[in-house]
Amino acid sequence: MPSLNFDVFRIQALTEGFDEVLEREWEPLTLLDMHSHPFSVRALVTRGEMWLTVGDLTRQLRPGDTFELGRDVPHAERYGSQGAAYWVARRHD
């Protein structure tokens, strides 16, 4: 597998049918209460740490960790003391 950088992540995601690929940056200690999005996502954490809650399960995510969410899936996000960043591919079905 080639070294993963944003361009490789973007090309892979677009090839797999995602239609938008972004780099997201979050400020330290940001908290997003339960919400959902009108798109599905696949993301790779690149900096910092975050906690993602879906249903009764909360996952701590650090650089190198990935997560996926389906369209309209309720979730909450919490970002660590250093904030966080991730690459995210979105599919608007």
Side-chain angles (χ1 to χ4, degrees):
M1 173 187 240
S3 175
L4 190 62
N5 60 42
F6 181 75
D7 289 331
V8 171
F9 179 85
R10 185 175 84 56
I11 290 167
Q12 287 176 347
L14 294 173
T15 300
E16 293 174 17
F18 289 89
D19 52 51
E20 181 179 39
V21 184
L22 308 167
E23 293 182 84
R24 296 295 314 258
E25 294 272 340
W26 294 95
E27 294 294 322
L29 305 177
T30 298
L31 174 62
L32 301 175
D33 289 329
M34 275 299 168
H35 65 285
S36 63
H37 304 286
F39 47 80
S40 57
V41 302
R42 177 186 304 152
L44 171 67
V45 178
T46 59
R47 182 182 58 75
E49 66 181 336
M50 65 177 287
W51 290 261
L52 178 68
T53 301
V54 178
D56 294 331
L57 178 66
T58 298
R59 289 181 55 203
Q60 181 180 20
L61 301 160
R62 295 187 172 126
D65 291 336
T66 62
F67 65 92
E68 294 187 29
L69 289 169
R71 176 187 178 113
D72 297 324
V73 171
H75 63 283
E77 303 166 45
R78 181 168 56 95
Y79 296 89
S81 61
Q82 302 300 310
Y86 53 77
W87 302 335
V88 60
R90 297 175 175 175
R91 181 179 292 127
H92 299 81
D93 296 322

